[in-house]
Amino acid sequence: MNDTYYFFAVWRVCFCRVFAGLALLLVLPASAQTLHLVTEEWPGLINDTPQGPGGVLWEISRDVLESMGYQIKLDFVPWKRAQRLVAENARDGIIGMGITDEREKVYQFPDEALLVSETAVYTLKDKSFEYDGLDSLTGMNVGVSPGYTYSPEVRAATHFEQVSMPTIESGLKMLLLGRIDAMLANRNVVWKQGEQLGIEDQIKASGKPVSGGPVYLAFSPEISGEFLEAFSQALKRYKDTEAHAVDGLR
């Protein structure tokens, strides 16, 4: 056997072994794959409990991905860190993200949203204030969450002071202490947090929403278009069989 023939024979054996290994990976059941997701706790919609994740956003995400054959691991981290991890492909997806032009340049959004969310104005019940558009907030100190998505009108507003509140709980405490006059937050989340703090009878929400929009399970830049399409179709099928509508904008 000459050297050239021997080289090609060995190369052929190695190639066949590699190809067989790749083929095996392709036919492995999807259940052998794990998607590593992140989010920040959003009480009422997604909760970090001793028993594990809970809440409607988690349930929808889990049920849909499991129906596709995936296992899911979820980490709770601060919102800005969650965004960075997914943007850098260190995690596969982030639960509960609102869509913007800027985010669409970074993350992969499926066609189908998890649910529609709504932001309301919260004040103390003993105040006579009634929200009637952003102009009614003139001169007020208003709590907002850094890293969360508000409407362009809110972000551009200068006629009221936007005060950073790291969490919904801290915002409610600031409201009770008079450090802010109002806060902008998800309708469902604030009520849930208020109940946990035992102050739900001291706060009130505006009947008129500030803004609203769809909330997604957004994926990392490396996720394929084929996966996004499959996820959207699975989510549509889920919505046809499950009642999960929740008001609430992150």
Side-chain angles (χ1 to χ4, degrees), residues 47-62:
N47 306 310
D48 184 10
T49 75
Q51 295 75 36
V56 65
L57 286 178
W58 163 248
E59 292 167 2
I60 296 171
S61 301
R62 177 201 61 203

Side-chain angles (χ1 to χ4, degrees), residues 141-189:
N141 292 320
V142 180
V144 295
S145 298
Y148 282 34
T149 299
Y150 296 98
S151 68
E153 292 76 16
V154 171
R155 294 198 301 270
T158 58
H159 56 280
F160 59 87
E161 186 71 23
Q162 299 191 30
V163 181
S164 177
M165 51 180 195
T167 64
I168 298 299
E169 180 179 352
S170 65
L172 286 169
K173 291 178 179 178
M174 291 165 70
L175 190 64
L176 291 173
L177 292 171
R179 293 172 56 191
I180 56 176
D181 304 304
M183 58 187 286
L184 308 184
N186 177 275
R187 195 179 290 279
N188 294 81
V189 172

Side-chain angles (χ1 to χ4, degrees), residues 3 7 10 16 18-19 22 29 35 46 50 52 59 93 101 122 125 141 152-153 166 177 197-198 205 247:
D3 291 341
F7 170 79
V10 172
C16 289
V18 171
F19 180 80
L22 290 173
L35 291 176
I46 187 161
E59 292 167 2
D101 291 340
Y122 281 84
K125 238 178 197 178
N141 292 320
E153 292 76 16
L177 292 171
L197 294 173
D247 290 329

